[in-house]
């Protein structure tokens, strides 16, 4: 997956191959997460977060992890 960070607002993009039919994003901040394929999420504070994306196509599933740094004073792209 990839992210576009704009201060505390982050756009997540699923780049999973294999035609998944379900998604679960854990944003690493204790929120409820999301089942949307390409969600947006607003973090409440600066920090380093471990983000996970779990996908399934009904036959198998995979989980991907990445570290995301969020800073309210700057904008960066993590791809």
């Amino acid at each position: 997956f990839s992210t576009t960070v704009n201060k505390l607002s982050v756009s997540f993009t699923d780049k999973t191959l294999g035609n998944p039919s379900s998604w679960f994003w854990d944003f690493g901040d204790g929120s409820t997460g999301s089942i949307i394929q390409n969600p947006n999420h607003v973090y409440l504070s600066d920090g380093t977060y471990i983000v996970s994306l779990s996908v399934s196509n009904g036959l198998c599933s995979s989980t991907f992890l990445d570290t995301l740094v969020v800073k309210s004073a700057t904008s960066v792209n993590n791809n």
Side-chain angles (χ1 to χ4, degrees):
F1 63 89
S2 67
T3 58
T4 301
V5 180
N6 184 4
K7 299 185 180 180
L8 296 178
S9 179
V10 181
S11 298
F12 294 90
T13 304
D14 168 41
K15 293 187 173 185
T16 307
L17 302 176
N19 301 315
S21 55
S22 66
W23 300 263
F24 182 74
W25 292 88
D26 180 337
F27 302 116
D29 62 351
S31 66
T32 57
S34 177
I35 58 172
I36 297 171
Q37 182 178 8
N38 298 311
N40 295 313
H41 183 68
V42 176
Y43 287 86
L44 298 179
S45 60
D46 294 358
T48 301
Y49 301 94
I50 304 297
V51 177
S52 69
L53 168 60
S54 298
V55 296
S56 175
N57 65 5
L59 298 174
C60 61
S61 61
S62 296
T63 299
F64 307 93
L65 300 171
D66 202 358
T67 302
L68 176 67
V69 176
V70 177
K71 294 182 180 179
S72 59
T74 60
S75 297
V76 297
N77 285 330
N78 295 332
N79 293 316

